[in-house]
Amino acid sequence: MKKKTMSYVMSGALSIGILGSAPSMTAAGPATTKAEMMSYKYKEGQQIKPIKDFSDVMREQAEALGIHSENKDIETLAKEVREAKVQQQAAAFGINTANKDFHTLKQEIRKAQQSLNEKR
């Protein structure tokens, strides 16, 4: 009886040891830096898209919305992009944007979206 109990305990401990070390083995793979990823221009004849930073995406969106991104930090630029997008959404719903702050416009847009969804 003691041999069976001891074998169960030992097999359980071995199982826990194996399962406990498994995630660390898979996570220890080779790390690829951003510079290495950018150097891979082609892979088997297919072009790989370069990785974009959040700052690059914000600058592209700012240019598309007509916002000047020169000499502005990313936080300020992201805020201006969000405000411009809310202004566009408000105009699409026919909401008057004069003398309204960002949060008021967002609330009115949500109400307009809800009423539109209820009509469907």
Side-chain angles (χ1 to χ4, degrees):
M1 187 73 171
K2 286 187 177 184
K3 286 184 180 181
K4 281 187 179 180
T5 306
M6 190 59 144
S7 65
Y8 291 140
V9 169
M10 293 305 289
S11 64
L14 184 60
S15 300
I16 290 172
I18 291 172
L19 293 176
S21 65
S24 63
M25 284 187 231
T26 58
T32 305
T33 63
K34 184 178 176 184
E36 289 173 342
M37 285 299 294
M38 295 302 282
S39 68
Y40 299 140
K41 301 231 180 208
Y42 296 95
K43 181 178 182 179
E44 298 177 14
Q46 296 177 349
Q47 185 175 2
I48 297 174
K49 294 181 181 180
I51 298 171
K52 290 184 180 181
D53 285 338
F54 178 71
S55 60
D56 296 335
V57 173
M58 278 296 111
R59 292 190 199 292
E60 288 176 6
Q61 289 181 3
E63 289 176 14
L65 293 169
I67 300 171
H68 297 288
S69 62
E70 296 174 6
N71 300 326
K72 292 183 183 175
D73 63 340
I74 285 301
E75 293 173 4
T76 306
L77 193 61
K79 182 180 177 184
E80 290 181 12
V81 167
R82 276 193 306 267
E83 290 174 354
K85 285 183 177 184
V86 167
Q87 293 282 340
Q88 284 182 343
Q89 286 179 340
F93 281 112
I95 298 171
N96 185 10
T97 60
N99 299 325
K100 293 182 182 174
D101 65 338
F102 178 74
H103 296 290
T104 306
L105 283 175
K106 282 185 76 169
Q107 289 175 351
E108 291 185 15
I109 290 170
R110 285 185 188 134
K111 288 178 185 176
Q113 287 173 339
Q114 287 175 352
S115 66
L116 183 67
N117 288 338
E118 289 174 359
K119 290 179 183 177
R120 289 182 183 176

